[in-house]
């Protein structure tokens, strides 16, 4: 993979060795589709608990790779401005979630035992304190914590990756192996954060390679061979280290790192030339991308809320007689309208974080306005550094 190893001359800007992955003048519909599928898979996994879904479509690695790709693009500008913008876009929706979660826990008797740890509800560099009652609601916050760390480390990671890409990828897999065998010299709660970071940093780095065009410059057969080795190694390790739930990659760090890396290599290197236009499906994909933070943060609450809602349906004879109220798939179907309610009630926080006029429901007009804002921002990059900020079209959390 010589193209991946190519580095610029000292002091010069890194020149992409291949064509850019984003089509001129619009969103990359393929990346939007991957992100939407990843979100749907996350909700489906949490609803049904099927371990094989982590093998079928490793959503977490894909989401981190997409986020790394956009982070590399943003870091063409001064790092301080980029980090400020990324933190704002992450933390504002998180604070809205935190306000609701903390209020609910307080009503159920929770009180902070350590104000230092409670500060993680403001800046989630570690796991915010929770209770057994709120465990399902707060469990997905590990992703927010890992994402935040990768954003903060990205200026250093990008510089290192552009100099020695293969060494960086190898180091990530080596650290994932140490995490698998519990050899990282850390104690909880720092250990959990470090394990998640080591597992998914390699996918984040592949996002860098995708955005720089390095993956496009690598021969297809080389990428396929590397991906096959990663998937085979990850699959073999998962097969020999099953969990109580089966072959669940979420509980097998090294298998997760290898399997996700192989999938991401293929998905980012072999993109379709054109995707058919399907208005309804495109609309769903657009909403999921525009409200990715909201969907991720609130989907567990939607799953929880579906239970008392279905319990109430049992008291209606017509519903009890004609609806499969005891089926898990019915609960799954009920969850999606509740996610839509969350989008209507709190999705505006993503617009606020992006410094857009808040809208209860993202529309095509909102997306088009994002493109206009992106053009204005690109001009501002050269005209007035003090007013630069990320283009709203370029950032959603699960990118």
């Amino acid at each position: 993979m010589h193209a991946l190893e190519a580095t610029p001359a000292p002091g010069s800007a890194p020149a992409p060795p291949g064509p850019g992955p984003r089509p001129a003048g619009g969103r990359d519909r393929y990346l939007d589709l991957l992100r939407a599928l990843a979100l749907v898979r996350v909700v489906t996994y949490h609803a049904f608990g099927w371990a094989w879904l982590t093998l079928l479509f490793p959503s977490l690695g894909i989401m981190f790779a997409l986020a790394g790709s956009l982070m590399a693009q943003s870091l063409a500008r001064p790092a301080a401005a980029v980090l400020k913008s990324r933190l704002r876009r992450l933390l504002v929706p998180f604070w809205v979630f935190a306000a609701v979660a903390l209020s609910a826990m307080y009503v159920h008797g929770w009180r902070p035992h350590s104000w230092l740890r409670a500060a993680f509800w403001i800046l989630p560099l570690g796991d915010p304190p929770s209770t057994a009652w709120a465990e399902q609601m707060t469990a997905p916050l590990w992703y927010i914590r890992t994402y935040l760390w990768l954003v903060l480390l990205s200026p250093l990671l990008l510089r290192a990756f552009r100099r020695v890409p293969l060494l960086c990828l190898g180091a990530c897999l080596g650290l994932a192996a140490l995490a698998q065998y519990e050899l990282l010299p850390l104690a909880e709660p720092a250990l959990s954060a470090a394990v998640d970071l080591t597992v998914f940093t390699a996918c984040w780095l592949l996002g860098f390679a995708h955005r720089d065009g390095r993956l496009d410059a690598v021969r297809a057969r080389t990428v396929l061979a590397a991906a096959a080795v990663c998937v085979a190694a990850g699959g073999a390790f998962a097969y020999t280290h099953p969990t109580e739930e089966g072959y669940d990659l979420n509980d097998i760090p090294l298998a997760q790192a290898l399997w996700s890396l192989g999938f991401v290599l293929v998905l980012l290197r072999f993109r379709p030339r054109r995707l058919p236009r399907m208005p309804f499906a495109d609309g769903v994909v657009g909403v999921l991308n525009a409200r990715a933070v909201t969907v991720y943060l609130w989907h567990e609450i939607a799953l929880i809320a579906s239970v008392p809602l279905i319990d109430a349906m049992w008291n209606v004879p017509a519903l009890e007689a004609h609806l499969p109220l005891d089926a898990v798939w019915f609960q799954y179907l009920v969850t999606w309208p509740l996610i839509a309610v969350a989008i209507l009630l709190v999705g505006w926080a993503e617009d606020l974080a992006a410094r857009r006029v808040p809208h209860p429901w993202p529309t095509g007009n909102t997306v088009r306005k994002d493109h206009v804002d992106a053009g204005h921002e690109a001009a501002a990059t050269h005209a007035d550094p003090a007013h630069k900020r990320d283009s709203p079209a370029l950032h959603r959390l699960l990118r």
Side-chain angles (χ1 to χ4, degrees):
M1 300 173 72
H2 298 293
L4 198 61
E5 294 178 312
T7 56
S12 64
R22 185 185 178 99
R27 298 180 64 90
D28 190 322
R29 296 177 63 238
Y30 175 61
L31 297 189
D32 283 353
L33 177 62
L34 286 181
R35 189 174 301 106
L37 290 174
L39 277 171
V40 171
R41 207 285 281 157
V42 166
V43 177
T44 305
Y45 172 81
H46 287 154
F48 294 96
W50 293 331
W52 55 266
L53 281 175
T54 64
L55 293 165
L56 179 66
F57 195 72
S59 292
L60 301 172
I62 292 167
M63 291 191 293
F64 280 116
L66 299 178
S69 176
L70 287 178
M71 191 66 188
Q73 177 171 320
S74 295
L75 284 173
R77 302 184 291 110
V82 173
L83 293 181
K84 179 181 177 181
S85 177
R86 297 280 162 167
L87 291 177
R88 185 182 68 246
R89 289 167 180 262
L90 172 66
L91 293 178
V92 171
F94 172 75
W95 289 336
V96 174
F97 174 86
V100 173
L102 286 172
S103 298
M105 290 194 300
Y106 188 86
V107 168
H108 283 80
W110 175 81
R111 298 295 183 272
H113 298 293
S114 167
W115 287 105
L116 182 61
R117 285 205 63 199
F120 288 146
W121 280 107
I122 300 174
L123 188 64
L125 292 172
D127 293 323
S130 182
T131 64
W133 174 84
E135 182 179 359
Q136 182 179 353
M137 177 173 59
T138 59
L141 295 183
W142 73 267
Y143 181 91
I144 305 298
R145 177 243 296 150
T146 306
Y147 178 90
L148 176 59
W149 273 109
L150 286 170
V151 165
L152 294 174
L153 293 172
S154 278
L156 295 176
L157 288 174
L158 183 59
R159 184 179 304 175
F161 181 75
R162 283 174 171 167
R163 289 183 178 275
V164 283
L166 295 183
L167 179 60
C168 289
L169 289 172
C172 291
L173 294 179
L175 289 172
L178 293 178
Q180 175 67 48
Y181 291 103
E182 301 180 355
L183 296 176
L184 294 176
L186 296 169
E188 294 291 358
L191 179 60
S192 295
V195 169
D196 294 330
L197 198 60
T198 59
V199 168
F200 294 107
T201 299
C203 291
W204 189 273
L205 296 181
L206 278 190
F208 291 169
H210 166 259
R211 184 57 57 179
D212 283 352
R214 293 174 183 266
L215 281 182
D216 288 332
V218 180
R219 291 180 179 179
R221 62 188 181 189
T222 304
V223 173
L224 285 174
V229 169
C230 289
V231 169
F237 194 87
Y239 181 76
T240 56
H241 295 76
T243 66
E244 294 181 358
E245 292 76 23
Y247 303 108
D248 191 330
L249 295 184
N250 291 328
D251 297 321
I252 316 173
L254 183 56
Q256 174 80 282
L258 290 165
W259 189 271
S260 298
L261 194 65
F263 257 76
V264 168
L265 271 170
V266 172
L267 291 175
L268 293 187
R269 175 60 175 82
F270 302 100
R271 301 184 301 275
R273 291 183 177 272
R274 182 178 300 176
L275 291 175
R277 293 283 180 179
M278 295 181 288
F280 176 77
D282 289 345
V284 172
V285 169
V287 170
L288 289 174
N289 276 271
R291 293 292 183 261
V293 185
T294 302
V295 172
Y296 184 83
L297 282 173
W298 293 86
H299 77 275
E300 284 283 17
I301 293 182
L303 281 166
I304 295 169
S306 68
V307 175
L309 180 59
I310 293 175
D311 286 344
M313 293 181 185
W314 284 100
N315 298 322
V316 181
L319 298 181
E320 180 184 3
H322 296 96
L323 293 178
L325 300 181
D326 57 350
V328 178
W329 65 264
F330 182 76
Q331 180 191 12
Y332 177 71
L333 293 180
V334 171
T335 296
W336 283 104
L338 294 176
I339 290 175
V341 171
I343 291 174
L344 289 170
L345 293 179
V346 297
W348 51 265
E350 294 197 58
D351 290 329
L352 191 66
R355 295 180 176 174
R356 295 190 299 264
V357 176
H359 291 278
W361 191 265
T363 64
N365 290 333
T366 303
V367 174
R368 283 191 290 272
K369 184 178 184 300
D370 282 348
H371 295 158
V372 174
D373 291 344
H376 290 167
E377 186 173 336
T381 300
H382 301 285
D384 187 1
H387 292 84
K388 293 183 301 212
R389 59 186 178 88
D390 276 0
S391 162
L394 300 182
H395 180 78
R396 300 289 181 263
L397 169 62
L398 300 180
R399 282 188 173 185

